[in-house]
Amino acid sequence: MGRFIKGILGGFSGKVGTVIGACWKGIDYMRSLPRKSSKPPTQLQLDARARFSLAMGFLNPVVSMIRVGYQSYDSNGTTPINSAVSDLLKTGITGVSPNFMIDFAKVRYSKGELAGPWNPEVETTVAGELTFSWVAAPPSPTSMPTDQLTLIVFNPEKNKYVFLPNAALRSALTVDLLLPLDFSGDTVHCYMFFVSQDGKEVSSSLYAGEIELV
């Protein structure tokens, strides 16, 4: 890939002859068209593609949350979603080819230096509702009462997410999350992380556990 300085015609996008032009983060670049390989992919290549496709498909619906949760990794030629996918590929996918699966307890939606929720718990006593709770942490530069809680719930049976940024202040210690009524009876996986009041710092997300909804 080559970077170029805009000339009289400026940068370009798309295919021209044997090169492709594009712009990424304000940088114009050109690259040659990929050569088609006559060799069939190896099993390792097929497995890598399957794992990557699984990771991208799982995280893509909550990319808006990941942009916040992985914001400090939006540099050095990478993006928040790429960083989250990389972490998921390293630790959050299990199973043997071709039956790869998500290890829900090891999924991360954020990565940062803020203190996470202490002793997080989740329970359900009302249809279509979850109650999240946590313990107060001593105020510090990494744990302020004004930090905002983000909640993420994934329903594997429906293959659907419910997520809520700014769900509550750290000082609230509890919050209810409404879910679709058709989630009733399903088992869901729950996650929590904090974002600083100015939105610039995050905690690493915590797995609050799986729970069968009433």
Side-chain angles (χ1 to χ4, degrees):
M1 182 179 74
R3 180 180 175 185
F4 64 96
I5 306 300
K6 293 180 179 180
I8 188 171
L9 297 179
F12 70 94
S13 178
K15 184 174 72 171
V16 177
T18 60
V19 298
I20 297 175
C23 181
W24 185 74
K25 291 191 175 183
I27 300 173
D28 293 305
Y29 68 89
M30 294 184 297
R31 62 181 173 86
S32 60
L33 287 171
R35 295 179 180 178
K36 293 184 178 180
S37 174
S38 59
K39 296 181 180 179
T42 66
Q43 188 60 49
L44 285 176
Q45 290 173 323
L46 291 173
D47 289 349
R49 293 173 189 175
R51 287 164 52 85
F52 181 80
S53 179
L54 176 63
M56 280 296 298
F58 180 73
L59 292 177
N60 195 55
V62 286
V63 67
S64 60
M65 298 295 96
I66 290 171
R67 289 194 186 107
V68 175
Y70 274 80
Q71 60 182 282
S72 61
Y73 294 83
D74 190 9
S75 61
N76 298 323
T78 188
T79 64
I81 185 64
N82 286 342
S83 296
V85 167
S86 178
D87 281 349
L88 185 58
L89 289 171
K90 291 174 184 175
T91 62
I93 293 182
T94 187
V96 178
S97 176
N99 301 312
F100 296 116
M101 300 174 292
I102 301 294
D103 185 343
F104 297 109
K106 295 181 180 178
V107 175
R108 269 187 178 171
Y109 298 94
S110 67
K111 198 173 179 180
E113 300 301 322
L114 283 188
W118 282 24
N119 299 325
E121 294 184 357
V122 59
E123 61 180 351
T124 176
T125 57
V126 179
E129 187 173 295
L130 284 174
T131 297
F132 291 80
S133 60
W134 58 98
V135 174
S140 73
T142 62
S143 175
M144 299 298 291
T146 53
D147 294 336
Q148 294 276 356
L149 179 69
T150 292
L151 300 175
I152 298 177
V153 173
F154 180 69
N155 183 335
E157 184 170 332
K158 300 286 193 302
N159 194 30
K160 288 184 178 179
Y161 276 101
V162 173
F163 53 90
L164 182 64
N166 304 325
L169 295 177
R170 187 190 289 268
S171 59
L173 304 184
T174 185
V175 65
D176 296 328
L177 177 67
L178 296 178
L179 300 172
L181 288 176
D182 66 352
F183 277 27
S184 182
D186 294 346
T187 296
V188 297
H189 299 269
C190 308
Y191 307 84
M192 310 163 68
F193 68 89
F194 283 116
V195 182
S196 62
Q197 187 176 32
D198 62 8
K200 296 181 179 180
E201 301 291 337
V202 301
S203 70
S204 294
S205 62
L206 289 181
Y207 180 62
E210 63 177 311
I211 186 168
E212 183 178 344
L213 300 171
V214 298

